[in-house]
Amino acid sequence: MHIKVKLAYFENENDNSSFFPHSWLNYKKKRDDFEDMLEERRNSSDLRYALKCYTPVLYKGLTPCKVSELKQMVLQSDQLGYVITQVSKEKGVTSDEVTGEAAAILEEMAQRLQLSTVRFFAFTLSKVFKTLFRSICINEEGLQRLQQAIHNHPVVLLPSHRSYMDFLLMSYILYTYDLALPVIAAGMDFMGMKVVGEMLRMSGAFFIRRSFGGDKLYWAVFSEYVKIMLKNGYAPVEFFLEGTRSRTAKSLTPKLGLLNIVMDPFLKGEVFDISLVPVSISYERTLEEALYARELLGVPKPKESTSGLFKARKILSEDYGSIHVYFGQPVSVRSLAESRVNRSQFNLIPRHIPTRPSEEILSFVNDSAYRLVRAQEENMVLKPWVLLAFVLLQKQAAEEKQGTALDELTEQAVWLRDLSRQYGAFLHWPDHIPPSEVVSSSLSLHRGLVRISEGRAVVILSCASYRNQALNVFIRPALLASAIHTAASNRKQEIYNSFSFLRNMFSNEFILCPGATVQDFEEACYLLVKTGTLQINQQEVLITERGHRTLAFLTSVLDPFLQGYQVVCRFLCEQDGLTEKQFIPAVRKFIIKHLLTGSLLKCRLRYTEVLSSDLQKNALAALIRLGAVQKIKGYVGFTHLHVHNKVETTKLLFIYF
């Protein structure tokens, strides 16, 4: 593929803002100010707060129906009735029996939101949050926008998901600011937590299976339940676009099932519009800090349980810094669909007959999901420790000696702070405090991950999950830097081809919108030209004298992932007849064996992230997509290698090491 590269304009133009899409110019973006919601809580009675008069603005001023009425509406809906008739014919049983089964599914699933339980959580969480956190900062302008959206249209809340605390925190904030409490999609894992599970149900959680398989009845009950709550303005619907908690702190590839469901009422003309509200939740220190560090090393996630919750009480003696919660601009589904979706297609089939979404709809929902996750990323607040984690891990990988001198760490962090700001990062760095004090305070807060010894900072437990929080800021420039590093010449077309390959390979690893390769390439070029790292003319990409430091940093951003993918390639080269189920345990055993013997690669394994099962799964998915690995279904789903493309892919990966 050849592209018309417009970057020749950079030679003579000082201002490129007219050429590049405005969304790229995040360094100019005006974001809302924050207010600490805990300040008032520290100065007033928690009991009075929990028992306050709660009068939220509702959708078009409607009075929400009762939980029992909501269930009846679902069971009496035309769509569910159609599916019940189908299932009864398929199974050879009566409609009443299938209706009973549907009622049981709904009973297991449904929330039972009760204000008394919400008040209990409000009181308890006030005590807990004031103990754990220094501040919980909210953009109040975002809440004002949300209040207006709730009044005008059905609302879907889409928070980022980095901690178990997320959905409790969301409800706590909305209760505090007198906004309508959401109904929240939660996994069945939480329902198994005995008393806690039922309390979550009574605070608005509805429970769904992790996968439905081919269960048409379950899917019909679930989709109707969500759509009826949404259409009738019962409450804002809240779910996590990523589908599960990100234990690496990177955004995960969005799951489309629920987003498809909540868009359906608009696409079928049942509501005028729906507002999607991306919410970015940023923790200075996550409660699961040590858990994430171990999971990055391949330790399995522990099962949620009430006993586990009580064992976690020791966290109450810890300091977890601050939280920033940013409520983004409500996104109109009507605006998203304009000129993208022909809604007349839904007039051809009765609405109550379930149909598979067309390719046009699937593409639209997928593109929307990526845009929403990227909106979450852009409003994530980065704390100084995120930059320190970057520096510490890169130093640890580059040097045999242990630790980084504090003055060197401070200088590197300040340099990275300035670069981050130029790239549009939403950085919370207190400029009124000397950098050395900012660094010292951050190291103290995260003393479980790093210790100070003889004036040097030494990493004692992986802090990769914190470094990963800033990857969205650097990923496009990092892909370009790696493309420049691996390309055989400095010709623009050759560098673009290398960029395109790397971007495709890492499309499961990072949020890279489908079909936006040229746009991402141009964005990366723009940022590196703007910061004086590159000069670009009609045919060539040239590195400036001061650009080498930036390029060296950006190239190292991808190193952990490149090395992880290389290890997976090496492992697959030595395997035969491996099943998908065997892949993760086998590759982990392979890595540990060679870590102990030091015989895996020509150079040492510098990054512990190679043990991450998430990275290994993403690497396998990339190799399958690139044609290097084929999935051939046998009795137990064998995965075989496609020799020619496998060799080419492995060869390219080895260039980096």
Side-chain angles (χ1 to χ4, degrees), residues 143-159:
L143 288 172
Q144 291 168 11
R145 293 191 294 264
L146 174 59
Q147 184 178 49
Q148 188 63 41
I150 289 172
H151 181 262
N152 293 335
H153 304 292
V155 165
V156 178
L157 293 168
L158 302 169

Side-chain angles (χ1 to χ4, degrees), residues 209-448:
R209 298 173 189 169
R210 291 292 181 188
S211 62
F212 304 164
D215 193 334
K216 287 195 295 187
L217 183 63
Y218 191 93
W219 177 259
V221 172
F222 168 60
S223 58
E224 275 302 284
Y225 182 62
V226 172
K227 285 189 280 191
I228 285 174
M229 285 193 292
L230 193 68
K231 288 187 296 186
N232 293 341
Y234 180 86
V237 174
E238 178 185 322
F239 64 90
F240 301 111
L241 254 180
E242 298 159 284
T244 188
R245 180 174 51 100
S246 172
R247 293 178 289 280
T248 61
K250 289 192 295 92
S251 295
L252 305 177
T253 302
K255 303 292 188 293
L256 306 182
L258 255 170
L259 188 61
N260 219 326
I261 288 171
V262 298
M263 284 184 164
D264 193 65
F266 166 75
L267 295 173
K268 290 183 176 176
E270 296 173 324
V271 294
F272 180 78
D273 199 1
I274 294 169
S275 292
L276 308 175
V277 183
V279 184
S280 308
I281 306 176
S282 312
Y283 295 89
E284 187 168 13
R285 182 185 171 201
T286 54
L287 272 65
E288 301 91 342
E289 182 178 75
L291 179 66
Y292 287 169
R294 290 178 175 84
E295 286 184 19
L296 278 170
L297 297 177
V299 178
K301 181 185 88 166
K303 186 180 178 182
E304 290 84 2
S305 66
T306 305
S307 60
L309 181 67
F310 284 111
K311 287 176 185 175
R313 284 179 300 171
K314 61 182 180 181
I315 66 172
L316 294 174
S317 61
E318 297 279 336
D319 177 4
Y320 287 88
S322 61
I323 303 175
H324 284 75
V325 183
Y326 195 97
F327 288 81
Q329 289 281 353
V331 177
S332 159
V333 175
R334 174 172 283 273
S335 297
L336 285 175
E338 192 173 355
S339 75
R340 282 290 312 272
V341 176
N342 178 14
R343 292 198 291 160
S344 63
Q345 62 185 279
F346 294 100
N347 296 331
L348 304 175
I349 301 172
R351 289 177 184 169
H352 69 275
I353 298 178
T355 56
R356 296 184 70 85
S358 65
E359 287 300 317
E360 178 192 30
I361 297 299
L362 289 174
S363 174
F364 165 66
V365 173
N366 189 51
D367 289 350
S368 300
Y370 273 87
R371 287 176 64 178
L372 289 161
V373 174
R374 193 164 180 198
Q376 289 176 348
E377 288 184 332
E378 288 177 354
N379 289 322
M380 296 292 275
V381 177
L382 305 182
K383 313 296 169 59
W385 171 246
V386 171
L387 305 184
L388 292 174
F390 245 120
V391 175
L392 287 167
L393 289 173
Q394 289 191 357
K395 285 286 183 183
Q396 185 185 50
E399 300 171 0
E400 292 290 345
K401 62 183 179 181
Q402 284 287 308
T404 306
L406 292 181
D407 55 349
E408 183 184 0
L409 179 60
T410 302
E411 185 274 328
Q412 293 265 19
V414 169
W415 177 83
L416 192 52
R417 175 199 67 186
D418 296 341
L419 184 67
S420 303
R421 284 174 171 165
Q422 288 179 300
Y423 285 1
F426 198 174
L427 194 60
H428 186 259
W429 182 295
D431 290 315
H432 61 284
I433 299 174
S436 59
E437 291 183 24
V438 174
V439 170
S440 177
S441 174
S442 294
L443 292 173
S444 175
L445 183 66
H446 297 275
R447 57 189 174 273

Side-chain angles (χ1 to χ4, degrees), residues 450-515:
V450 64
R451 61 179 170 84
I452 308 301
S453 176
E454 298 177 354
R456 306 183 73 84
V458 182
V459 176
I460 56 176
L461 198 58
S462 175
C463 44
S465 61
Y466 288 100
R467 176 209 59 203
N468 289 348
Q469 292 178 24
L471 286 175
N472 67 287
V473 174
F474 299 113
I475 184 57
R476 289 158 187 82
L479 287 169
L480 179 55
S482 295
I484 292 169
H485 174 73
T486 193
S489 73
N490 59 358
R491 290 182 61 250
K492 269 193 301 214
Q493 187 64 50
E494 191 162 338
I495 290 170
Y496 172 80
N497 292 341
S498 183
F499 176 93
S500 179
F501 177 87
L502 287 168
R503 186 187 183 280
N504 185 19
M505 185 170 67
F506 287 126
S507 60
N508 289 84
E509 202 71 56
F510 308 106
I511 297 301
L512 299 164
C513 299

Side-chain angles (χ1 to χ4, degrees), residues 78-88 98 216-217 220 352 354:
D78 291 338
Q79 184 165 335
L80 183 58
Y82 180 86
V83 173
I84 286 172
T85 301
Q86 274 194 322
V87 172
S88 67
V98 181
K216 287 195 295 187
L217 183 63
H352 69 275

Side-chain angles (χ1 to χ4, degrees), residues 54 67 71 107-122 167-168 171 175 181-184 186 190-191 193-207 225 234-235:
Y54 173 67
V67 170
K71 290 178 183 177
E107 191 64 30
E108 176 190 64
M109 179 187 300
Q111 53 79 24
R112 292 198 296 272
L113 183 60
Q114 294 181 10
L115 188 56
S116 57
T117 306
V118 172
R119 292 189 189 280
F120 170 79
F121 270 118
F167 64 87
L168 291 173
S171 295
Y175 177 79
L181 291 165
V183 289
I184 309 145
F190 292 99
M191 196 178 77
M193 293 175 67
K194 297 182 181 177
V195 176
V196 174
E198 279 307 303
M199 291 189 69
L200 291 175
R201 190 192 293 275
M202 291 188 287
S203 63
F206 61 95
F207 298 100
Y225 182 62
Y234 180 86

Side-chain angles (χ1 to χ4, degrees), residues 593-613:
K593 172 187 170 185
H594 290 287
L595 274 174
L596 295 174
T597 62
S599 61
L600 185 55
L601 302 172
K602 293 179 182 178
C603 62
R604 67 189 177 94
L605 280 179
R606 297 170 292 160
Y607 302 97
T608 56
E609 293 96 307
V610 297
L611 288 164
S612 167
S613 59

